[in-house]
């Protein structure tokens, strides 16, 4: 992550269905809420994309009163003290926050207590740098499942218009599953954890303890085109597996492809019926 885009071609209907299925498939039987799609109060729009950069609006799952809500939010937490008028002009890099510092951060600690959320996407891009070679990978869940990342959100009211909902993605040190690719990775969630993670009555320390490290077989990856490095590239093929160019292969012998990567992602989530 860290300034790099994550991928996702999900439409509004598919995102709502993903949240619905997440509640039904989880082991938390007390979770019976069906998420409702709500447009951003500030007018920020979510556009399905294969190459989403920070400051875009993406689907975020959160709890409002007793309702589970999916709503476009601005990627990049806006400091509450930012005067505006533009919520993006604060000058800080806030698209990610470090798990190790979140409990003591003036910026992120308030959201940890009252603004936990779930970032919904198909996967994210990360670049491996080795031997002078830079190779992008797409990381995702095998079998076409949706990827859920732990996030924090806040509501910025510093402008003259409607409130701006905004968020950041929690990151942590990578374990052996992804450390070969990058030393940091997102903090992941499973559907059965949503109820406790989104519940503001769950103490922050307990909520953070829920963020287990990924295990073997829970994530898949494959090499993708270097065109993902430019967010102006929005082709539908960006998330597809491609072979590294031969010059790079000569420089670097070991190009990793997970056993679960078999060219999926085209039908990763069934579409809702009209």
């Amino acid at each position: 992550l860290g300034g790099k885009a994550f991928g996702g071609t999900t439409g509004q209907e598919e995102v709502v269905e993903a949240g619905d299925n997440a509640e039904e498939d989880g082991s938390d039987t007390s979770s019976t809420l069906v998420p409702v799609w709500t447009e951003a109060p500030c007018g920020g729009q979510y556009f399905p994309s294969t190459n989403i950069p920070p400051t875009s609006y993406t689907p975020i799952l959160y709890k409002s009163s007793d309702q589970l809500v999916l709503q476009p939010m601005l990627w990049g937490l806006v400091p509450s003290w930012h005067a505006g008028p533009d919520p993006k002009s604060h000058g800080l890099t806030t698209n990610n926050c470090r798990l190790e510092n979140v409990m003591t951060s003036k910026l992120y600690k308030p959201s940890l207590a009252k603004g936990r959320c779930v970032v919904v996407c198909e996967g994210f891009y990360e670049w491996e740098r080795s031997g002078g070679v830079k190779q992008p990978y797409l990381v995702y869940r095998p079998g076409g499942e949706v990827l859920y990342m732990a996030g924090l959100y806040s509501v910025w009211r510093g402008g003259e218009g409607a409130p701006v909902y905004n968020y950041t993605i929690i990151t942590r040190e990578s374990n052996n599953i992804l450390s070969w690719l990058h030393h940091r990775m997102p903090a992941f969630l499973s559907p059965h954890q949503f109820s406790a993670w989104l519940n503001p009555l769950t103490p922050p320390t307990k909520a953070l303890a829920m963020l287990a490290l990924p295990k073997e077989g829970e994530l898949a990856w494959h090499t993708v085109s270097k065109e993902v490095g430019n967010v102006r590239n929005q082709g539908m093929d960006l998330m597809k597996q491609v072979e590294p160019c031969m010059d790079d292969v000569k420089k670097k012998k070991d190009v990793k492809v997970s056993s679960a990567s078999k060219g999926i992602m085209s039908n990763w989530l069934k579409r809702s019926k009209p």
Side-chain angles (χ1 to χ4, degrees):
L1 297 167
K4 291 167 275 296
F6 62 84
T9 57
T10 354
Q12 173 178 329
E13 295 82 3
E14 287 88 343
V15 174
V16 173
E17 183 174 326
D20 192 356
N21 291 339
E23 289 295 320
E24 293 175 356
D25 296 341
S27 61
D28 182 358
T29 56
S30 65
S31 298
T32 58
L33 296 178
V34 175
V36 172
W37 181 273
T38 302
E39 297 295 344
C42 64
Q45 291 184 291
Y46 161 60
F47 298 98
S49 169
T50 57
N51 201 5
I52 301 174
T55 72
S56 298
Y57 282 78
T58 77
I60 301 299
L61 185 69
Y62 74 105
K63 198 170 184 180
S64 177
S65 299
D66 291 329
Q67 179 63 59
L68 200 60
V69 178
L70 270 165
Q71 176 184 304
M73 293 191 189
L74 176 70
W75 183 11
L77 202 77
V78 182
S80 60
W81 57 85
H82 176 54
D86 182 357
K88 304 176 185 178
S89 65
H90 51 79
L92 301 177
T93 302
T94 59
N95 45 297
N96 299 336
C97 69
R98 296 173 66 90
L99 174 66
E100 299 84 352
N101 303 331
V102 67
M103 287 288 291
T104 57
S105 169
K106 176 183 177 181
L107 175 59
Y108 300 119
K109 186 177 180 180
S111 293
L112 178 62
K114 299 180 180 180
R116 294 188 293 269
C117 63
V118 180
V119 182
V120 182
C121 65
E122 292 188 60
F124 65 94
Y125 300 121
E126 187 56 85
W127 291 73
E128 182 188 23
R129 295 169 171 81
S130 178
V133 176
K134 295 171 60 178
Q135 174 61 55
Y137 283 77
L138 174 69
V139 181
Y140 53 94
R141 287 201 180 278
E145 296 183 15
V146 184
L147 189 67
Y148 302 108
M149 298 182 285
L152 303 174
Y153 81 94
S154 67
V155 183
W156 182 70
R157 305 179 188 275
E160 298 180 356
V164 177
Y165 283 70
N166 54 92
Y167 75 95
T168 186
I169 299 171
I170 300 176
T171 65
R172 65 187 308 168
E173 286 289 330
S174 296
N175 66 348
N176 64 310
I177 302 300
L178 287 180
S179 58
W180 61 270
L181 179 58
H182 197 276
H183 68 283
R184 304 224 29 112
M185 64 182 180
F188 302 107
L189 285 165
S190 297
H192 72 272
Q193 298 174 309
F194 290 178
S195 180
W197 174 256
L198 297 176
N199 189 342
L201 298 181
T202 303
T205 52
K206 184 177 180 180
L208 292 179
M210 295 167 46
L211 303 178
L213 291 164
K215 300 177 182 178
E216 190 71 35
E218 290 183 346
L219 295 173
W221 51 83
H222 59 240
T223 52
V224 293
S225 169
K226 291 185 179 181
E227 290 185 359
V228 302
N230 187 336
V231 297
R232 287 176 293 184
N233 295 326
Q234 293 288 326
M236 294 302 295
D237 292 339
L238 286 182
M239 299 175 71
K240 291 184 177 180
Q241 182 175 353
V242 300
E243 295 298 326
C245 72
M246 291 308 299
D247 289 341
D248 289 349
V249 173
K250 291 176 182 178
K251 294 178 182 178
K252 186 179 187 306
K253 296 180 180 180
D254 183 22
V255 177
K256 294 182 178 291
V257 178
S258 69
S259 59
S261 175
K262 297 181 180 179
I264 64 172
M265 302 305 289
S266 59
N267 295 310
W268 68 282
L269 186 65
K270 70 176 183 179
R271 296 183 175 273
S272 299
K273 296 181 180 179

